[in-house]
Amino acid sequence: MLLGEYKHSIDSKGRIIIPAKFREKLGEHFIVTRGLDGCLFGYSLEEWEKVEEKLQELPMAKRDARKFTRFFYSAATECRIDKQGRINLPQTLIDFAELEKASYLIGVSNRIEIWNQEKWLNFTEEAEASYEDIAEDMIDFGF
């Protein structure tokens, strides 16, 4: 399980350190693609296969399913961890997530998310303000 929040810098070549605890779960190479809410999603190869299975079940006759899968897959890239524990993100993903020098990597159960610092801090501020309301609504999901 991927847990925690880490602040790391992305350098001018698009390299960012993956925390050691994440590297243990993700493996030496893993998939990074466009996520939701303006961040990137990173999946171990095992988890990526599960995501692919679900996406393949989407009805291709539905326009939104086609749009989503195209957008999701087109930016997906296999990242390899170098000897310094970094990955090199392609410019397409850096631009999508508006990554700047300071970035956040967070663990979200079966994936990591890579966030622009300002977006992450704004998200956490908003979520904190409504955390109890959100928790109450989770009853609808059996939580």
Side-chain angles (χ1 to χ4, degrees), residues 1-141:
M1 180 174 299
L2 296 156
L3 304 169
E5 171 184 299
Y6 302 88
K7 184 177 179 181
H8 284 285
S9 295
I10 187 166
D11 69 17
S12 61
K13 295 180 182 178
R15 297 176 300 197
I16 189 166
I17 292 173
I18 302 299
K21 289 187 179 201
F22 289 173
R23 293 192 304 257
E24 291 172 15
K25 303 289 184 189
L26 293 169
E28 290 183 30
H29 56 281
F30 58 96
I31 305 296
V32 177
T33 191
R34 294 179 184 111
L36 302 173
D37 302 315
C39 71
L40 304 179
F41 287 174
Y43 296 96
S44 69
L45 296 180
E46 181 181 336
E47 284 297 324
W48 180 252
E49 287 178 17
K50 293 176 187 176
V51 169
E52 277 191 297
E53 286 175 14
K54 289 179 183 177
L55 289 173
Q56 288 172 2
E57 292 174 6
L58 293 175
M60 286 299 112
K62 292 276 196 179
R63 180 173 294 139
D64 285 345
R66 292 191 309 271
K67 284 181 183 179
F68 181 82
T69 55
R70 284 181 191 133
F71 197 66
F72 192 73
Y73 277 110
S74 65
T77 188
E78 188 172 333
C79 294
R80 294 193 178 275
I81 297 175
D82 69 14
K83 293 178 183 176
Q84 286 78 38
R86 304 171 299 187
I87 60 168
N88 191 355
L89 293 170
Q91 193 63 46
T92 304
L93 293 177
I94 292 169
D95 292 345
F96 172 80
E98 299 176 6
L99 298 178
E100 298 169 353
K101 189 163 179 83
S103 300
Y104 276 85
L105 294 95
I106 64 166
V108 187
S109 184
N110 67 336
R111 70 176 183 272
I112 64 167
E113 295 182 353
I114 304 172
W115 286 79
N116 162 296
Q117 175 178 278
E118 185 178 341
K119 284 183 183 180
W120 175 247
L121 295 176
N122 287 340
F123 172 83
T124 57
E125 185 177 312
E126 288 175 21
E128 186 175 352
S130 59
Y131 186 65
E132 290 185 18
D133 293 333
I134 294 168
E136 192 171 307
D137 291 340
M138 296 304 288
I139 282 197
D140 295 339
F141 299 107

